[in-house]
Amino acid sequence: MKYNFAKLSPFQVDPDKIEETFGLTADDFQAATDTEKESVVYKHKSVSYWRDAARRFKANTVSMVALFVFILCLLFAFLGPRLIPYNYADQYRSSQKLASMEYSEEEQLVIAMSKNCDAFYATTLKSGSLTAIKKGDYTINYGGKTYAFTLKKAIEKSVLALDADAEEPLFVVKMKDLNEDGTWEKSTPVELSDAPAEGAQPLKLVNSVFPHVFGTDSSGRDLMARTMYGAQVSIIIGIAAALIVLVIGSIYGAISGLAGGAVDFVMMRIVELIYSIPEVLIVLLLQVVLTDPLRAWFDAHKTGIGAILGDLGPGIVSIFITFALLYWVTMARIVRGQVLQLKEQEYVNAAVALGASKTRIIRRHLLPNAVGALVITTCLQIPSAIFLESFLSFLGLGVSAPMASLGSLCSDALATIEIFPDRLIYPAVILTIIVLSLNLIGDGLRDALDPRLKK
Amino acid sequence: MFSYILKRILAAVATLLIIMAVTFFLMNAIPGNPFLSEKASPHAIELAFKKYGLDKPLIVQFKNYVVNYLRGDLGVSLKMQEGTSVKDIIFNQGKFTRSIKLGLSALALAILVGIPLGCIAAYHRGSWLDGFLRVVTTVGVAVPTFVLATLLLATFAVKLPLLPVKSGELTDFRSYIMPVISLSFYYTCYLAKLTRTSMLDAINQDYIRTARAKGVKTSKLVLKHALRNSLIPVITYLGPVMAGIITGSFVVESTFQIPGLGKYFVQSVMNRDYTIIMATTVILSALVIFMNLVVDIAYKIVDPRITLTSKEG
């Protein structure tokens, strides 16, 4: 093509004068090498949806604090029971109805005594099968030394104490021989053997009495252990119920949204019907109806899934059934809405036009785009399940003793509210903190996963 | 409009009928029966079954329930107050009135406090007041009703004995304070949050800017222009609020020992008193369904843009 130089506008450059105008030589016009090309193409590393969401979530201080608090709650609920010597179900007959941090009379005697020896094992402070040290062979590891001995008779209502410097380091003091000042009337030495017998059981000695931080209940169960266990039960119920709702709701909603037409119409009328039932009335009835048949079923099926569900107890399982029957409707509506909305998107049309298969469209286009809404709704479902469980347990349905949930602990505490008002405060505050942190995490997830919804 | 209302009333009646059916079959599935006790001989139980028509097939029993309910006959109590008419128990012993008074007071408190608080927070957005209200309402929606009820009881009735431990029959004003606050607190906070959000949406609209440019007074701007438009999501939420207040009444009536309908429902389930279970379920469900109906119609009045033909999920 020939340039018509006469028609060059003042802003156009005469190709022959490029060198002179811009200071460029022919050397400047060489083909780019591969590395140079890459540096242009990958100016920004592509950011995936999840990385982007994680960045937004991390920038949200409130949600991060809530996440941290929730992790603390998880540690309290799941790691806590391993760190304290008490168990949610064990009843300590000598330490009933203690206020928080209070020691029972026996515990006070043992504490006083512990000043005069190195370590001890008090049979009265253990419970159930451990109220005595049974006869047999034992070893004790303490202060780098191993003590081996054989008991010909069980030790009951006594303290097995160790004083490493004494001539007879291991001795038994009867509970009734202990004085308030920490001395004792008489003691029986335990004969040590030179080497541990085969199959000897190790016995762990302690040198302090672990306090009942939250006190004990009227059956002598440690309330901190029960609160930890209750938090565990509440969190597990919350997460499991949310997953049940997620599965049922999204399958139902997806079928309804994808099928459309008459199927969709009928399915949505069912959803509306369930939605307009005041579910708590039915839930209360369901709880009572399901308890006995479930118990009978657990007794008949002691293996496999029956054993797992049987451990949870009929109260918790009927809560799951309730969620599976009544609480999936919100999730189904949200999923159907997402499917309907996404189905009409241009990129889905494009994929259809290009001949993509149905599974590919669902897997590649619908699912990744709907996953944000699913995660948010599931996360916000957890506190609502915890609410429902605690509500039912508070009314005396739900979990039954010796199991505990935060709701049943509040309900138990209500009976003694005039004497021990703080017994109510611990489970109530922990319940509130768990629900609050989950709500805030859910809000943060919504802002992070679906910025369009941000208010 | 008329056909819409008619359609909704029919749907409401159908829902109520289905609730009756579900309740009927569930309560018959509860193991045991109302006459079971250590003293009762099998013969006496048989006689009682015959007397109350429980020996008939379930489907006939259900039909009798529906027919009697249409006639306004709720039957007689089988166990808890044996032989007394259920209608008398619910309406003439003050149970219904007490629950309604409690529920309406809580609803009124939630609306009268929650909505203005939301407006104030939206109007002063970004200020310390907004921040404070945001913290209070966020915590408020995380506190279950029974936690608040029991904590109030522990503080104001036990530690500082200012208010009575038992609210009993709600005869004086002081006995209302704690039950109403614990019943309405969650909804007050939720309504305040909701109002704030929708108020902020409304304030940022163009017509508000235009009105302001025209010199409309701030008070009028907020109350007339912004509030009216931001009330729509708030009104939609009132249906669930009513259902929630009934749920809460189970707990609140148990905690404060108020002999109301919620507490009576829980007791009747435990006692398998079939006629009372049925009557309380139907009355409480009817209240919720009626409330939802009112809300849907109010919705139309507040926002004429909403078409009432079909409600898509």
Side-chain angles (χ1 to χ4, degrees):
Chain A
M1 186 185 176
K2 256 195 125 270
Y3 288 104
N4 185 350
F5 294 114
K7 278 194 177 171
L8 271 181
S9 77
F11 302 106
Q12 275 176 308
V13 179
D14 184 345
D16 293 334
K17 291 184 182 165
I18 282 180
E19 201 181 321
E20 172 182 322
T21 321
F22 298 108
L24 295 168
T25 62
D27 291 343
D28 291 320
F29 292 93
Q30 277 170 357
T33 62
D34 285 348
T35 25
E36 278 169 340
K37 274 184 196 162
E38 247 169 57
S39 75
V40 177
V41 173
Y42 294 117
K43 212 169 188 176
H44 291 286
K45 211 173 172 200
S46 85
V47 179
S48 78
Y49 172 66
W50 292 108
R51 202 176 285 268
D52 199 31
R55 185 182 51 77
R56 272 195 294 265
F57 190 84
K58 275 184 204 151
N60 187 339
T61 324
V62 175
S63 311
M64 284 306 281
V65 171
L67 184 64
F68 178 70
V69 170
F70 184 62
I71 291 173
L72 285 186
C73 290
L74 285 180
L75 290 179
F76 175 79
F78 290 91
L79 198 64
R82 286 162 200 273
L83 299 181
I84 62 170
Y86 302 114
N87 176 291
Y88 73 93
D90 290 346
Q91 303 183 356
Y92 301 87
R93 225 166 291 151
S94 61
S95 22
Q96 286 163 354
K97 295 184 194 168
L98 296 179
S100 82
M101 297 305 279
E102 193 187 357
Y103 289 105
S104 70
E105 272 174 42
E106 286 191 359
E107 283 169 340
Q108 284 173 16
L109 287 176
V110 174
I111 290 168
M113 177 206 171
S114 70
K115 290 187 192 107
N116 299 327
C117 66
D118 288 333
F120 61 86
Y121 185 103
T123 57
T124 51
L125 305 187
K126 292 284 162 190
S127 72
S129 58
L130 294 170
T131 41
I133 307 176
K134 288 174 189 147
K135 61 179 182 181
D137 301 318
Y138 292 93
T139 56
I140 291 169
N141 280 308
Y142 191 83
K145 269 195 224 168
T146 304
Y147 303 87
F149 60 97
T150 303
L151 286 182
K152 296 199 175 68
K153 221 168 70 181
I155 304 180
E156 270 181 301
K157 290 180 188 159
S158 309
V159 182
L160 174 71
L162 179 83
D163 193 347
D165 303 327
E167 212 168 292
E168 284 166 326
L170 209 57
F171 52 92
V172 174
V173 182
K174 284 220 169 346
M175 209 66 215
K176 61 179 183 344
D177 294 336
L178 278 175
N179 297 326
E180 269 175 48
D181 60 354
T183 56
W184 50 90
E185 306 289 337
K186 58 178 185 205
S187 65
T188 327
V190 175
E191 204 180 309
L192 292 173
S193 39
D194 296 331
E198 210 169 299
Q201 294 176 47
L203 199 62
K204 201 169 175 290
L205 262 54
V206 290
N207 48 23
S208 64
V209 175
F210 196 86
H212 296 286
V213 182
F214 293 176
T216 57
D217 67 7
S218 47
S219 313
R221 291 181 286 228
D222 183 73
L223 277 175
M224 186 154 87
R226 283 181 76 68
T227 309
M228 285 169 168
Y229 181 75
Q232 204 173 342
V233 168
S234 293
I235 292 172
I236 291 175
I237 289 181
I239 293 175
L243 291 179
I244 292 174
V245 166
L246 172 70
V247 171
I248 297 181
S250 43
I251 292 176
Y252 192 95
I255 292 176
S256 178
L258 285 173
V263 178
D264 182 36
F265 183 81
V266 172
M267 286 176 94
M268 279 301 115
R269 292 296 85 75
I270 295 172
V271 165
E272 258 169 39
L273 180 76
I274 295 180
Y275 203 74
S276 61
I277 293 176
E279 63 262 331
V280 174
L281 292 165
I282 306 293
V283 168
L284 274 169
L285 272 174
L286 260 180
Q287 287 282 314
V288 183
V289 170
L290 289 173
T291 307
D292 281 358
L294 278 174
R295 194 166 284 141
W297 193 81
F298 295 148
D299 288 341
H301 298 77
K302 289 238 184 256
T303 51
I305 188 127
I308 299 170
L309 294 177
D311 283 347
L312 290 173
I316 294 177
V317 175
S318 56
I319 287 177
F320 291 156
I321 295 178
T322 307
F323 266 82
L325 286 177
L326 292 174
Y327 282 79
W328 50 269
V329 284
T330 318
M331 180 63 93
R333 282 184 159 188
I334 286 170
V335 172
R336 175 180 168 270
Q338 286 278 322
V339 169
L340 284 184
Q341 192 195 344
L342 294 171
K343 214 162 72 163
E344 302 301 321
Q345 297 285 317
E346 282 87 353
Y347 56 81
V348 177
N349 282 338
V352 174
L354 287 168
S357 69
K358 262 207 167 122
T359 38
R360 186 182 156 84
I361 290 174
I362 292 175
R363 227 184 43 231
R364 183 85 196 149
H365 298 290
L366 298 187
L367 217 57
N369 282 297
V371 82
L374 293 184
V375 171
I376 297 160
T377 320
T378 309
C379 183
L380 291 174
Q381 193 73 55
I382 302 174
S384 102
I386 294 179
F387 256 54
L388 182 75
E389 181 280 323
S390 57
F391 163 79
L392 289 171
S393 297
F394 183 78
L395 288 180
L397 301 158
V399 305
S400 43
M403 280 187 100
S405 82
L406 293 174
S408 75
L409 288 170
C410 288
S411 163
D412 294 346
L414 194 59
T416 53
I417 189 166
E418 300 189 28
I419 317 158
F420 301 109
D422 52 339
R423 220 178 251 185
L424 176 69
I425 308 220
Y426 304 116
V429 167
I430 286 166
L431 180 60
T432 307
I433 290 176
I434 291 176
V435 173
L436 179 63
S437 60
L438 282 168
N439 277 345
L440 292 174
I441 292 172
D443 286 350
L445 278 178
R446 181 173 51 212
D447 292 349
L449 292 174
D450 203 347
R452 286 168 300 174
L453 288 179
K454 191 166 185 174
K455 283 170 183 166
Chain B
M1 183 79 183
F2 178 74
S3 73
Y4 169 75
I5 294 176
L6 194 72
K7 216 189 266 174
R8 287 303 316 266
I9 290 175
L10 282 180
V13 171
T15 312
L16 209 53
L17 204 62
I18 290 174
I19 291 174
M20 272 185 90
V22 171
T23 312
F24 178 78
F25 291 105
L26 276 180
M27 74 189 185
N28 276 294
I30 303 176
N33 66 59
F35 312 111
L36 226 47
S37 73
E38 282 162 19
K39 291 179 288 181
S41 66
H43 181 66
I45 292 178
E46 205 176 299
L47 276 182
F49 262 69
K50 214 162 226 159
K51 184 175 165 196
Y52 295 112
L54 299 179
D55 53 342
K56 295 189 182 114
L58 284 184
I59 194 80
V60 177
Q61 286 185 45
F62 181 62
K63 197 202 80 194
N64 289 344
Y65 264 112
V66 176
V67 171
N68 288 337
Y69 270 56
L70 286 176
R71 284 201 207 114
D73 175 11
L74 306 185
V76 293
S77 167
L78 303 180
K79 187 174 187 186
M80 292 160 81
Q81 299 184 27
E82 210 192 320
T84 321
S85 143
V86 174
K87 212 193 262 172
D88 273 355
I89 296 176
I90 290 174
F91 293 105
N92 295 345
Q93 296 178 3
K95 292 191 174 61
F96 184 73
T97 341
R98 274 192 285 272
S99 290
I100 287 289
K101 272 190 199 161
L102 199 62
L104 287 184
S105 315
L107 188 64
L109 189 70
I111 293 173
L112 293 179
V113 177
I115 294 178
L117 277 185
C119 291
I120 291 171
Y123 191 70
H124 297 280
R125 64 186 176 283
S127 71
W128 65 268
L129 186 64
D130 181 29
F132 172 73
L133 286 177
R134 185 136 53 142
V135 172
V136 171
T137 52
T138 309
V139 175
V141 295
V143 184
T145 307
F146 73 85
V147 168
L148 184 68
T150 44
L151 287 183
L152 282 178
L153 196 66
T155 320
F156 295 105
V158 179
K159 279 208 171 152
L160 317 162
L162 297 172
L163 296 167
V165 177
K166 289 182 191 176
S167 290
E169 303 202 338
L170 293 173
T171 38
D172 64 335
F173 175 71
R174 284 168 67 239
S175 58
Y176 268 98
I177 299 174
M178 287 194 293
V180 170
I181 289 179
S182 29
L183 201 48
S184 67
F185 189 66
Y186 178 93
Y187 300 99
T188 310
C189 292
Y190 198 97
L191 282 179
K193 273 168 92 87
L194 203 62
T195 312
R196 179 184 179 276
T197 329
S198 61
M199 195 70 171
L200 280 182
D201 282 350
I203 284 176
N204 290 327
Q205 298 284 323
D206 290 342
Y207 63 84
I208 296 287
R209 194 158 13 109
T210 313
R212 196 188 283 278
K214 276 165 60 188
V216 177
K217 263 192 290 178
T218 307
S219 57
K220 200 181 166 192
L221 195 73
V222 171
L223 292 178
K224 184 139 185 268
H225 295 263
L227 185 62
R228 190 166 165 178
N229 280 288
S230 58
L231 275 184
I232 296 159
V234 176
I235 287 181
T236 339
Y237 186 64
L238 289 182
V241 170
M242 189 67 202
I245 281 178
I246 287 176
T247 315
S249 75
F250 296 165
V251 165
V252 168
E253 287 176 11
S254 298
T255 310
F256 296 104
Q257 307 188 22
I258 304 164
L261 214 51
K263 193 182 177 202
Y264 208 60
F265 172 73
V266 179
Q267 285 172 346
S268 70
V269 172
M270 308 290 183
N271 280 305
R272 292 141 182 66
D273 198 331
Y274 297 151
T275 44
I276 292 178
I277 298 179
M278 184 58 100
T280 36
T281 313
V282 168
I283 290 170
L284 293 176
S285 308
L287 274 176
V288 173
I289 292 170
F290 177 71
M291 192 67 191
N292 276 322
L293 192 68
V294 171
V295 162
D296 278 355
I297 294 168
Y299 202 63
K300 166 83 176 169
I301 295 166
V302 174
D303 190 354
R305 284 172 306 180
I306 295 164
T307 50
L308 294 177
T309 43
S310 76
K311 238 179 73 188
E312 288 293 315

